[in-house]
Amino acid sequence: MTVAIVDYGSGNLRSAAKAFERAAREAGTHERILVTASTRDVIEAARIVLPGVGAFADCRAGLYGVPGMVETLQREVIERGKPFLGICVGMQLMATRGVEYGVHPGLDWIAGDVVRIEAKGQTGKDHLKIPHMGWNELDALKPHALLEGIAPRDHAYFVHSFQLAASRPETVLGQTDYGGPITAIVGRDNLAGTQFHPEKSQATGLRLIANFLRWQP
């Protein structure tokens, strides 16, 4: 079976593909990992991954700029229920809207807005900088197939200035702390998204990817 990593001009796709290939190899699931901008490939894939790096509006413009891709994702993910994983801004695009440099509608798969992080740290040398960049602990993890084998205080790698403020608490599967709680993982039904980069998160990331490759929502 094929895992389609959607290429719309955003994200370190080679790094993501290598991480998925390694996880598939180590888990013995033998999926074909395909980086693609083809709607036909997405239609034929068993699982779909949407990465993303940069500003919400730019990523949204890139995704909507691929002819037929948004309509294909809506059909394959929402109507046909294929397992879906959004990564970083790919996760943010699942929201109702983003408010970075204007208001921009998202896919509206996870109710909520993508808002700027308000890091309420101390002043001086302990001041929390934006963007939130580097390793941080996961916490407030809820039971979920994608989080099997991942425990509170396991570390993941983040690079972001905005977070998905979910309207429904039950869709937040995990958080991290950066001057207050920050959404780290969201999900419902056959949808999941990580604010952190699993492809850069070493053992934690590979475990989550392997779980995604086995996930039967």
Side-chain angles (χ1 to χ4, degrees), residues 115-126:
V115 300
R116 188 167 182 83
I117 298 171
E118 299 293 339
K120 301 177 179 65
Q122 300 175 4
T123 58
K125 67 177 182 180
D126 296 321

Side-chain angles (χ1 to χ4, degrees), residues 163-179:
Q163 67 156 327
L164 202 168
S167 301
R168 299 174 180 171
E170 65 269 20
T171 62
V172 178
L173 304 180
Q175 297 176 326
T176 191
D177 186 278
Y178 195 69

Side-chain angles (χ1 to χ4, degrees), residues 62 121 155:
H155 285 74

Side-chain angles (χ1 to χ4, degrees), residues 12 24 37 81-82 120 160 190 217:
N12 188 346
K82 291 182 179 178
K120 301 177 179 65
H160 63 123
N190 59 305

Side-chain angles (χ1 to χ4, degrees), residues 9-205:
S10 176
N12 188 346
L13 301 180
R14 179 59 183 155
S15 176
K18 287 178 66 176
F20 274 79
E21 288 166 357
R22 178 179 173 183
R25 184 171 61 250
E26 293 181 356
T29 53
H30 306 297
E31 276 87 357
R32 175 188 180 218
I33 310 302
L34 181 64
V35 176
T36 181
S38 165
T39 56
R40 179 177 294 277
D41 288 338
V42 173
I43 290 169
E44 294 176 352
R47 301 172 189 276
I48 301 169
V49 179
L50 184 70
V53 173
F56 184 100
D58 292 342
C59 289
R60 181 188 185 279
L63 183 62
Y64 277 77
V66 180
M69 185 59 75
V70 170
E71 294 81 3
T72 297
L73 289 173
Q74 181 72 26
R75 183 172 60 252
E76 298 301 312
V77 176
I78 300 303
E79 296 177 17
R80 296 183 177 169
K82 291 182 179 178
F84 174 91
L85 179 65
I87 296 174
C88 196
V89 183
M91 175 264 245
Q92 294 179 3
L93 288 170
M94 299 163 68
T96 304
R97 62 180 188 169
V99 296
E100 181 177 3
Y101 309 119
V103 177
H104 310 279
L107 296 169
D108 199 19
W109 293 351
I110 299 289
D113 290 348
V114 177
V115 300
R116 188 167 182 83
I117 298 171
E118 299 293 339
K120 301 177 179 65
Q122 300 175 4
T123 58
K125 67 177 182 180
D126 296 321
H127 180 65
L128 296 175
K129 296 180 180 180
I130 303 297
H132 170 212
M133 181 181 299
W135 293 91
N136 216 346
E137 294 181 352
L138 301 175
D139 60 29
L141 299 177
K142 296 178 181 176
H144 193 279
L146 261 63
L147 300 177
E148 184 177 347
I150 298 173
R153 295 197 294 275
D154 282 350
H155 285 74
Y157 190 83
F158 293 80
V159 183
H160 63 123
S161 301
F162 289 73
Q163 67 156 327
L164 202 168
S167 301
R168 299 174 180 171
E170 65 269 20
T171 62
V172 178
L173 304 180
Q175 297 176 326
T176 191
D177 186 278
Y178 195 69
I182 300 291
T183 300
I185 311 163
V186 298
R188 67 170 181 86
D189 306 323
N190 59 305
L191 310 172
T194 63
Q195 182 59 69
F196 60 88
H197 287 268
E199 75 278 11
K200 297 180 181 180
S201 296
Q202 298 183 1
T204 299

